[in-house]
Amino acid sequence: MIRHLSFLALSALAASPAFAQTVAAPGSPESSSAPAPSAPSAFVTATDPYAAKGLPLGGFRLYPTIEITGNYDDNVYLTETNPKEDFFARETPQAMLHSDWSRHELDVYAAGSFYQYDNYPLQDHIDWDAGGDGRLDIYQGLSLSGSGSYSAEHLANSSPDQPSSAKSPTPFSIVQSNATLAYNPYHFGFYVGGTFSRSLYEPSKLINGSLEDNSDRNEDSYSGFVKASYEFSPGYALFVQGNENSVHYDLPVDRSGIDRNNQGYTANAGLDMLITTLIRGQAFLGYMKQQFKAPFGEITGLNFGANVDWAVSSLWTVHLIASRSLNGTIIVNAATEDDKSFQLSADYRLLSNLTITGSAMYLDAAFDDSGRTDHYIEPRLQLTYHMNPWISVEMSDTFQRRNSTTAGQDFDDNIAFIGLKFQE
């Protein structure tokens, strides 16, 4: 639901400060989707001498990468008891074609993640994503930007909406698009835009050989926004923004006989930190209200978001991501999944070619009106050794714990991997 719009918000934030309803929730248990490659930035190049340089192709640069890892998971099905362990391989190819123009901008990308399990081949799956974004500089201070993408994903085993009797991950797809018209006369900025997202869920394959229909989860999501900003110091701008959204499901009622169509709005105020060599990103606070159909009421309260990168020194880079998002669910008696997430990470350059990355994530997932709340914690540690600018060795260990108010839904999981990454 609104999570789908948050992905659009994050991608638009990378291109301009125009769209920021919310930022993507770190550690979200909903999907095992392939990561979309990000456009190269002066910030990354300034803080990482091993950042990809790309291949020149006329007025573009091509940034191809592929990561190949061997992984060990000590709880594949993320169960509270009788955990099943397994080894699996993962290949993640990505390619970004980035324009190298003095005016306008265009990015086209494709990415995939291929999983192959040793003992549980029914868990094998492929996630992929393809799309593009661009900016048209119409006149001095006036621009039109937009993006569109298609992704094929699978519900992660940790998703509360994945059937406990599922034989394999449930596939679904998302089509997304957005557009923003921006006008920046001198220190002021004015923005207007909107997004559209279409989600389609395939049937879940169950252990007994039957199929569980998920057509009641198919939805269209719409959002529009207006924003005004004032740059009070070079690279820093205060803004106010209003968003309105609506979610429409294909079926009039879901499998529990509930009409889950809903609509709402947010009003936010915050700070844009425009791209510099030291700090970039956005942080905001605001108010949200989402109205649901009977038997549910409305959800109101604090809205917040942050996505900030800070190059503290030549050795340290700190990253902060925080968000609140409302996401559709099929859990009986739950109006929505209300996710409040926080992630803090840091990169430390131990040697000129050795980087250690540590992160900690906390996610509070409340299923409003049902009495269920899931709490996730996820610490992660990764070492990256750059053999040269094109090849690096990566080692990582990630622990995840879920504590749920619903009996039998707790789990601990640890995934470790070692792999190679190739880039140009």
Side-chain angles (χ1 to χ4, degrees):
M1 210 187 337
I2 298 177
R3 175 183 293 140
H4 305 157
L5 303 182
S6 72
F7 292 136
L8 296 176
L10 187 60
S11 63
L13 175 60
S16 74
F19 184 68
Q21 148 63 17
T22 177
V23 290
S28 168
E30 182 68 13
S31 170
S32 62
S33 61
S38 57
S41 71
F43 180 89
V44 172
T45 303
T47 57
D48 185 3
Y50 290 96
K53 305 301 187 294
L55 301 171
L57 288 176
F60 292 85
R61 295 191 77 86
L62 177 65
Y63 296 83
T65 67
I66 183 169
E67 184 179 28
I68 303 172
T69 64
N71 306 258
Y72 169 75
D73 188 345
D74 68 1
N75 191 356
V76 173
Y77 291 96
L78 302 175
T79 56
E80 184 171 348
T81 59
N82 193 28
K84 306 296 184 183
E85 61 182 1
D86 201 1
F87 292 92
F88 67 94
R90 178 175 59 89
E91 302 84 40
T92 307
Q94 299 180 344
M96 164 71 75
L97 188 63
H98 178 67
S99 62
D100 193 15
W101 306 332
S102 59
R103 295 182 68 242
H104 315 305
E105 185 174 323
L106 178 63
D107 297 321
V108 181
Y109 68 86
S113 287
F114 300 79
Y115 297 81
Q116 306 94 39
Y117 285 77
D118 185 22
N119 296 319
Y120 301 100
L122 289 176
Q123 293 299 302
D124 293 358
H125 62 279
I126 300 172
D127 296 322
W128 62 273
D129 185 21
D133 59 78
R135 187 192 70 250
L136 178 65
D137 297 323
I138 303 171
Y139 186 71
Q140 184 174 359
L142 181 64
S143 65
L144 176 65
S145 60
S147 69
S149 67
Y150 177 88
S151 61
E153 308 176 20
H154 291 77
L155 287 179
N157 287 329
S158 56
S159 171
D161 295 313
Q162 170 79 338
S164 58
S165 58
K167 183 167 61 175
S168 58
T170 301
F172 67 98
S173 61
I174 302 176
V175 177
Q176 304 180 113
S177 62
N178 76 66
T180 298
L181 182 65
Y183 180 50
N184 294 272
Y186 197 48
H187 292 300
F188 294 93
F190 303 96
Y191 312 86
V192 61
T195 70
F196 168 76
S197 176
R198 169 70 172 165
S199 301
L200 290 172
Y201 288 79
E202 296 184 25
S204 300
K205 297 179 181 179
L206 306 184
I207 295 174
N208 61 12
S210 64
L211 297 176
E212 181 173 299
D213 183 37
N214 289 309
S215 57
D216 59 345
R217 299 199 67 188
N218 298 340
E219 65 173 58
D220 293 329
S221 301
Y222 306 87
S223 179
F225 77 95
V226 292
K227 174 181 174 180
S229 67
Y230 174 70
E231 187 176 3
F232 63 91
S233 180
Y236 296 89
L238 293 171
F239 72 86
V240 292
Q241 179 172 325
N243 298 68
E244 186 172 3
N245 69 81
S246 63
V247 180
H248 299 278
Y249 287 84
D250 289 4
L251 301 183
V253 295
D254 70 359
R255 65 197 70 186
S256 302
I258 298 173
D259 181 355
R260 292 194 175 272
N261 291 341
N262 60 89
Q263 59 185 8
Y265 70 87
T266 62
N268 304 316
L271 176 67
D272 277 325
M273 290 156 279
L274 310 181
I275 295 176
T276 70
T277 57
L278 294 178
I279 191 168
R280 68 170 183 176
Q282 184 185 86
F284 64 84
L285 289 173
Y287 175 82
M288 74 157 50
K289 179 178 180 180
Q290 199 73 14
Q291 183 68 47
F292 295 85
K293 301 290 184 68
F296 308 120
E298 63 182 27
I299 295 176
T300 60
L302 179 69
N303 189 39
F304 60 87
N307 186 12
V308 179
D309 298 319
W310 178 26
V312 181
S313 70
S314 59
L315 299 179
W316 283 97
T317 306
V318 177
H319 315 275
L320 171 66
I321 301 177
S323 71
R324 182 180 184 183
S325 60
L326 306 180
N327 306 290
T329 183
I330 56 174
I331 290 182
V332 179
N333 300 325
T336 187
E337 179 184 339
D338 188 351
D339 289 344
K340 304 178 185 69
S341 58
F342 308 87
Q343 179 174 288
L344 182 65
S345 63
D347 305 318
Y348 178 67
R349 192 169 297 281
L350 199 61
L351 300 172
S352 62
N353 61 343
L354 179 63
T355 301
I356 181 170
T357 299
S359 67
M361 184 278 296
Y362 172 76
L363 172 63
D364 180 289
F367 295 86
D368 293 304
D369 296 323
S370 73
R372 174 175 175 172
T373 300
D374 295 343
H375 302 280
Y376 297 82
I377 60 170
E378 186 179 290
R380 182 171 184 264
L381 185 65
Q382 177 169 320
L383 290 173
T384 302
Y385 173 71
H386 295 277
M387 301 174 64
N388 53 51
W390 306 280
I391 305 175
S392 58
V393 179
E394 298 177 332
M395 293 182 291
S396 175
D397 188 79
T398 303
F399 174 79
Q400 186 181 58
R401 168 171 290 173
R402 180 170 75 189
N403 293 317
S404 177
T405 56
T406 299
Q409 297 301 312
D410 295 351
F411 70 77
D412 288 345
D413 182 40
N414 196 82
I415 297 179
F417 80 74
I418 183 170
L420 289 173
K421 183 177 181 179
F422 304 87
Q423 68 177 22
E424 276 288 352

